[in-house]
Amino acid sequence: MDNSTCQNQRGMVPCVHFEAIPRQSYRAIYASHINYEELVRARRQMIQSLRVDNKENNDSMTLSSGKNATYYHLKDDRHHFDCLTNIRQTVSRVVSCYNFRFRQGKKKSLDMPYADEMTPDDWTALLPQAYDKYAGGCNNELLRTFGSLNDEEIINTFTKDSPYFESELRRAAGRMARCIIVDLHRCEESNAVLQHYLPWLGHSLDLCTGHKNVGKTSSNHTRIREGSAEAILVQNEFDESLFRFGTKLFDAQLRFAQR
């Protein structure tokens, strides 16, 4: 996006100018809290609307009647886009989400306690039930992003006891494995990864200095009470597993980038 042409609407992240964006094909850059599966579906629909020849996504079979059948398959999500995702330590992410969605020092905030005022039992009782005005909870953000579930109540109450835990974890890990990984708490190393894998972005963006949408909650309110971390992790075992997997991916990508 070009700063000279894009309009910065109030409350939105400013437009950023990138140098040397690859132009060998039509490209769009979408940055947000996304659901991977919905993005894949939208990309498929766009390809069909552009009447792109997509024969590589066809399968066929011969039926017992002797008739042939040709159809689209759904094995193409890895071909649709480059993926960049930011991982963050689970408890830190949940506390940050809670402060952002429910506090933020806004005059119109709901009557909610600060994170540092909550006991472990408070986290256990509140997190599975609390949603912001956009119907978003704070548990299991990586499941929300990479999983196949679209029901927010299921996502926000998802635990290791769910019959879908292992299948969703395998699916989400497979999708995350196709992404470039950054960890903003390891910004210098993340810069190295970006510059190697996405040079058009990595040379225009410094993750150590370019901070946007910084939260307004005092740092004093991010210091949670003893035992609260454990209460949060019990509700976010899926995210913790995927965070550890993402960290291994990040370390492997970093080693390759630094060769």
Side-chain angles (χ1 to χ4, degrees):
M1 290 180 288
D2 191 327
N3 282 331
S4 64
T5 58
C6 77
Q7 295 181 351
N8 178 24
Q9 299 179 6
R10 183 178 179 183
M12 305 298 289
V13 177
C15 296
V16 177
H17 177 71
F18 294 111
E19 299 291 342
I21 295 179
R23 299 186 183 278
Q24 64 268 31
S25 61
Y26 290 106
R27 290 176 181 263
I29 302 170
Y30 183 82
S32 180
H33 288 225
I34 66 168
N35 176 275
Y36 190 102
E37 190 158 292
E38 289 181 355
L39 190 59
V40 168
R41 187 179 299 114
R43 183 71 169 87
R44 288 190 185 115
Q45 292 172 350
M46 184 189 75
I47 288 176
Q48 294 306 316
S49 68
L50 293 175
R51 295 186 174 87
V52 175
D53 186 3
N54 212 23
K55 292 181 180 179
E56 65 194 44
N57 293 333
N58 293 351
D59 268 344
S60 62
M61 68 170 65
T62 301
L63 304 176
S64 60
S65 62
K67 298 292 184 178
N68 293 325
T70 303
Y71 50 89
Y72 291 108
H73 64 66
L74 300 182
K75 305 171 186 176
D76 57 344
D77 56 346
R78 73 192 64 184
H79 304 302
H80 278 161
F81 48 81
D82 295 324
C83 172
L84 170 66
T85 191
N86 170 39
I87 60 174
R88 183 173 181 175
Q89 193 272 339
T90 306
V91 173
S92 172
R93 183 198 61 73
V94 172
V95 173
S96 175
C97 173
Y98 177 86
N99 285 332
F100 178 78
R101 290 184 174 169
F102 301 118
R103 290 300 317 187
Q104 278 291 305
K106 299 174 183 176
K107 294 181 180 179
K108 295 183 180 180
S109 293
L110 297 172
D111 184 16
M112 297 281 273
Y114 284 106
D116 63 319
E117 297 174 328
M118 295 172 62
T119 68
D121 287 343
D122 291 339
W123 288 105
T124 299
L126 185 58
L127 277 180
Q129 303 295 327
Y131 302 90
D132 67 4
K133 63 181 180 180
Y134 301 109
C138 284
N139 283 336
N140 300 308
E141 183 67 20
L142 292 176
L143 173 62
R144 192 174 286 106
T145 300
F146 289 108
S148 61
L149 304 175
N150 292 317
D151 188 310
E152 180 60 28
E153 287 188 287
I154 293 177
I155 292 172
N156 205 45
T157 58
F158 200 75
T159 68
K160 202 168 185 177
D161 295 330
S162 167
Y164 308 112
F165 188 92
E166 291 188 7
S167 61
E168 283 298 314
L169 187 60
R170 286 194 297 270
R171 183 188 299 270
R175 289 170 169 175
M176 178 182 274
R178 299 168 190 165
C179 294
I180 305 303
I181 310 294
V182 295
D183 183 338
L184 298 190
H185 290 141
R186 298 169 62 180
C187 63
E188 292 184 0
E189 294 167 308
S190 294
N191 281 337
V193 168
L194 274 184
Q195 290 170 12
H196 179 80
Y197 290 100
L198 297 174
W200 60 270
L201 175 61
H203 291 294
S204 304
L205 181 65
D206 184 351
L207 297 180
C208 296
T209 59
H211 297 164
K212 302 294 182 183
N213 282 9
V214 178
K216 301 175 183 178
T217 305
S218 167
S219 60
N220 292 332
H221 295 306
T222 64
R223 300 169 185 170
I224 58 177
R225 295 185 180 186
E226 183 177 354
S228 292
E230 290 77 7
I232 292 171
L233 284 173
V234 166
Q235 302 176 66
N236 288 272
E237 290 179 286
F238 185 96
D239 266 29
E240 180 65 11
S241 297
L242 211 55
F243 168 73
R244 292 178 181 178
F245 175 70
T247 298
K248 291 181 179 180
L249 287 176
F250 176 73
D251 289 336
Q253 292 174 3
L254 178 63
R255 287 194 298 271
F256 193 87
Q258 291 178 333
R259 286 180 179 177

